[in-house]
Amino acid sequence: EFRRVLFRSEAEAFLAAAQRLATATSIDLAVARTHAGRRSPGQAPTQRTITIGAAGTKGLRTYVQLFVVIAAANDVRCDVAANSTFVYAYGFAEDIDASHALYASLVVQMVRASDAYIASGQHRPTPTITARLNFQLAFGARIGQRLTEARDQVRREAANDPGRPPGTALALRNKDLELHDFYRGASQARGTWRASRASAGYSSSARQAGDRAGRRARLGGEPELSTARTALGR
């Protein structure tokens, strides 16, 4: 039990550290933009298409959900294709980069964890597809909660840190307003996207297993982060 608690604490620390770095970088750049006399086009919000998977692939909605919750924790708004094959991401370049980098590692962990859960047979007698979808939905929800908590903590610390440049809170507010205006002008989305459907079925045991896996997810030495570190640390 002690080893399990220790591993969970380490996992939380690794993931929180990655999100804290992404948020700190984003805050520094927001402050820099506020104080810049002139801004280049690269310093304005942008729209980027993020490919999620091929049409017809099962479970794409859970992949989309994972990207969307990661993006939300990094101040990125998303519109989702009707078939969940891609996402339109709206935000500042550094925030989209961070979201994509985090997703690249976490989606691999989500798939591996759900595969292991299904292979164990613990989902029976729930149908495999139902169990997998519920597992991955819960995984994504937990990841979103963890990243958002880390983001909010860094923002609070930055706003109250007397050692930071003046105007940090104002810079963050201006960033939020600029992104809101950009999204409102650029997005053509209609309606509200939802990750789950009533017809997909529900499995409490799969949800619990997915939530546990989301708590264990970490960012450390995975090869998926070879490009993520560059995006997060630049």
Side-chain angles (χ1 to χ4, degrees), residues 7-9 11-12 15 139 142-143 145-146 210-218:
F7 179 80
R8 181 185 303 168
S9 298
E12 290 175 353
L15 189 59
F139 181 99
R142 176 56 62 182
I143 291 299
Q145 180 179 335
R146 290 174 60 187
D211 182 79
R212 290 193 296 270
R215 291 177 182 272
R216 294 192 299 268
R218 58 187 289 167

Side-chain angles (χ1 to χ4, degrees), residues 177-233:
L177 291 174
E178 187 172 359
L179 177 57
H180 173 78
D181 290 343
F182 174 75
Y183 176 76
R184 186 172 59 181
S187 173
Q188 299 181 7
R190 297 292 182 269
T192 301
W193 180 84
R194 290 183 174 84
S196 58
R197 293 172 172 167
S199 59
Y202 182 84
S203 170
S204 60
S205 60
R207 294 263 178 163
Q208 292 170 8
D211 182 79
R212 290 193 296 270
R215 291 177 182 272
R216 294 192 299 268
R218 58 187 289 167
L219 295 176
E222 294 88 342
E224 294 82 8
L225 284 182
S226 59
T227 57
R229 291 191 181 93
T230 300
L232 293 176

Side-chain angles (χ1 to χ4, degrees), residues 137-160:
L137 286 171
F139 181 99
R142 176 56 62 182
I143 291 299
Q145 180 179 335
R146 290 174 60 187
L147 295 182
T148 298
E149 289 173 352
R151 186 273 313 273
D152 291 347
Q153 180 181 356
V154 175
R155 277 199 162 205
R156 286 193 300 268
E157 292 172 354
N160 297 319

Side-chain angles (χ1 to χ4, degrees), residues 110-124 126-129 131-133 135-136 206 209:
M110 180 179 76
V111 172
R112 287 175 178 169
S114 63
D115 284 348
Y117 173 68
I118 296 301
S120 73
Q122 298 177 39
H123 64 290
R124 296 189 182 95
T126 303
T128 297
I129 185 60
R132 188 183 300 276
L133 290 175
F135 182 102
Q136 294 182 349

